[in-house]
Amino acid sequence: MQQTTEQLDERFTALDQLLLDHQSLWHNQPFTQQTLAWEADLPELSAWLRAQSLEHAEQHQLEPWKALKAPLKGSGTFFAENIYLTPLMQLPRHPVKRLPEAMSRGIPGRKWQQIEAFAACLPPHWQGSRWLDWCAGKGHLGRRLAWPNDCLCCIEHDAQLIKDGQQLSEQWQVQASHQHCDALSEQAISHLATSDTWTALHACGDLHTSLLRHTTGQGVRRLAIAPCCYNRIRAGHYQPLSAQGKASKLRLDRTMLGLPLQATVTAGAAEVRKRNRNMAWRLGFDLLQRQWRDVDEYLPVPSMANRWQHDNFAGWCQAAAELKGIETKPVSDWRAAEQAGWQRLAEVRNLELVQGLFRRPLELWLLFDMALLLQEQGFSVQLGEFCPQELTPRNLLLLAER
Ligand SMILES: C[S@@+](CC[C@H](N)C(=O)[O-])C[C@H]1O[C@@H](n2cnc3c(N)ncnc32)[C@H](O)[C@@H]1O
């Protein structure tokens, strides 16, 4: 299961080529652009997608290739390449030490299951480590790994989470120090030397890449990182970590880095309905404001959900227009205007299925960049899924050992 340098190099190069060759298919924003550049090249696919329902898009959101396999037949090799490059193995699972049941009390069910799955992927000989939990929250992951006898250092910047974490560590007699500091500060670096095994579960953007950058010049022996929110970076573009990443022509801005995060698997039905209505109203308003302003351009409207409790489309549009300082014009049929928003939403969501094909390749490109950096530094690396997507869409785990 260990990935050799050649395997990583080869796969990264193939993903890089796939993403570069088909930028027009994933660099677009169906929500803000009424027509997409690729639609002229693939008119049948475009017409077919625009005729599908919102339910169709929602049903295929997680596995867009299932919906697109037939309509894309004969439109080049990229589809086969995409499917071939995307799968990753589930990481091998090892027996884990059993914890007192009460230790999981108060931790949301899904979070605890993620932690258990993460722990089961770490090789048994990692026990006895001096653990680091990076951006630890209350330190549930670190405590799970360190209990009962290992020592643990948690880095976190939220004072309340630290206080709660400290109390839990005392309660379970785990030798833990919960450090109150900004993970991006010099102070955080001074804590790294006390640990030989670094873990990070869902540390966003700069927070996980900064930990990876610190592996140069530190005595770390092992790493286990499950990254998330790749777009939470201070720079305008992603700064590649590895030599191959730096050599790539791919330039990823924050919008592109948000692509892997687009699929939602954890929302409940009521939340989905509410979000859909919000999006349909925004798109309905967008069609109106283009007429009112006589400018065929998307106009971003800040979130108004908490400011006004509108339960009708017309009221929402008036409020949005006021907020943006737009002069409205009479609308003869508000019902039809709202319906047009829902129709646009169905089209947008179905067009997004094409982008969705590149969600996983892009995420893998980012993880291979991390893996290649670690390999350059003499680590052996393993990359795979630590839990099913239903538990968290950010289910990739990078394991490294010197
Ligand atoms: C998505 S949560 C993950 C928490 C924990 N690892 C888990 O999986 O339950 C991200 C955590 O990073 C912390 N965080 C965000 N920015 C930080 C920073 N600059 N320095 C330290 N911690 C930070 C947040 O307070 C939050 O607890």
Side-chain angles (χ1 to χ4, degrees), residues 111 133-137 155-158 161 181-184 201-204 207 228:
K111 176 53 75 182
D133 189 349
W134 185 249
C135 300
I155 303 290
E156 172 56 54
H157 75 162
D158 181 310
L161 295 176
C181 72
D182 178 353
L184 301 176
L201 172 58
H202 296 164
C204 304
L207 297 172
C228 87

